[in-house]
């Protein structure tokens, strides 16, 4: 009777595995089986989803106000795990190697390449940290140094010059009219 009680206690002491871990393990097994078979594309998507699940703890730490990252698996002709607009993970030619790449104005560069999920997670973590630092630098308001104002030129008395010219012109016309009237007289 004590044996029955012991087996009951042992069953309670065994910690049940989480469904997420069991699903991850099943995906790994399925990806390994299908990696050689005809459905290579499904194996690529499964491997990218495994990596996506492994990146969950990283992206849970990213503050909500940081909207640089839009992570997700696209299932187009070439399945990709997008990290942000310019960086993504794609499977290599053998469909077992993860290739973390970034598109730049000079072309595509490979940031990391490995069969191991942990290596790619470390590379993505480093990339996310660098992008967040770039964002912080861009968001910091640097004090704008205003160029010194040019010294003000002394204003000329434009109106006074106009009045003086008007009076001189009127006097000249008056003198011309007087001269013409005296000559004709």
């Amino acid at each position: 009777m004590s044996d029955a009680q012991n087996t009951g206690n042992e069953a309670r002491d065994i910690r049940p595995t989480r469904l997420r871990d069991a699903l991850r393990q099943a995906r790994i097994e399925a990806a390994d089986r299908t990696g050689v078979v005809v459905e290579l594309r499904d194996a690529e998507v499964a491997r990218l989803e495994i990596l996506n699940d492994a990146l969950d703890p990283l992206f849970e730490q990213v503050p909500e106000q940081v909207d640089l990252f839009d992570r997700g698996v696209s299932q187009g002709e070439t399945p990709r795990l997008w990290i942000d607009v310019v960086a993504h993970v794609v499977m290599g030619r053998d469909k077992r190697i993860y290739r973390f790449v970034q598109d730049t104005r000079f072309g595509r560069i490979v940031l990391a390449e490995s069969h191991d999920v942990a290596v790619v997670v470390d590379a993505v973590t480093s990339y996310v940290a660098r992008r967040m630092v770039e964002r912080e630098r861009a968001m910091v308001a640097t004090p704008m140094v205003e160029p010194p104002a040019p010294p003000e030129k002394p204003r000329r008395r434009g109106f006074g010059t106009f009045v003086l010219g008007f009076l001189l012109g009127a006097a000249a016309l008056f003198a011309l009219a007087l001269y013409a009237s005296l000559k004709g007289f």
Side-chain angles (χ1 to χ4, degrees), residues 10-170:
E10 289 174 10
R12 279 186 238 142
D13 291 342
I14 297 175
R15 199 173 125 221
T17 58
R18 293 186 347 192
L19 179 59
R20 176 180 234 151
D21 295 338
L23 283 172
R24 182 175 183 272
Q25 186 61 35
R27 286 181 182 147
I28 291 172
E29 292 169 2
D32 286 339
R33 283 193 304 269
T34 60
V36 182
V37 188
V38 178
E39 299 177 3
L40 291 177
R41 189 176 164 284
D42 291 339
E44 283 182 78
V45 172
R47 288 182 180 275
L48 290 173
E49 287 176 354
I50 290 168
L51 179 60
N52 192 21
D53 289 343
L55 289 171
D56 281 343
L58 167 67
F59 284 98
E60 287 173 359
Q61 296 175 19
V62 175
E64 287 184 27
Q65 66 267 19
V66 175
D67 58 351
L68 290 173
F69 308 105
D70 191 20
R71 186 173 52 118
V73 177
S74 66
Q75 298 187 12
E77 185 177 325
T78 304
R80 294 181 174 132
L81 170 60
W82 290 95
I83 305 301
D84 64 4
V85 177
V86 294
H88 62 272
V89 179
V90 66
M91 298 307 295
R93 289 183 185 246
D94 68 350
K95 310 300 182 205
R96 291 181 176 261
I97 191 166
Y98 295 99
R99 184 173 290 149
F100 181 40
V101 296
Q102 179 182 16
D103 294 328
T104 66
R105 66 181 119 169
F106 303 113
R108 184 172 285 174
I109 58 172
V110 177
L111 300 176
E113 194 171 37
S114 177
H115 289 15
D116 190 16
V117 173
V119 172
V120 179
V121 168
D122 288 343
V124 171
T125 303
S126 176
Y127 174 78
V128 167
R130 284 193 309 271
R131 288 290 301 217
M132 288 178 67
V133 168
E134 288 174 12
R135 178 184 181 272
E136 287 173 2
R137 284 187 177 173
M139 298 293 285
V140 171
T142 56
M144 298 215 27
V145 178
E146 295 183 23
E152 290 187 29
K153 296 179 182 177
R155 292 181 100 195
R156 293 187 182 175
R157 302 284 180 186
F159 184 71
T161 306
F162 173 74
V163 170
L164 181 62
F166 181 75
L167 291 176
L168 286 176

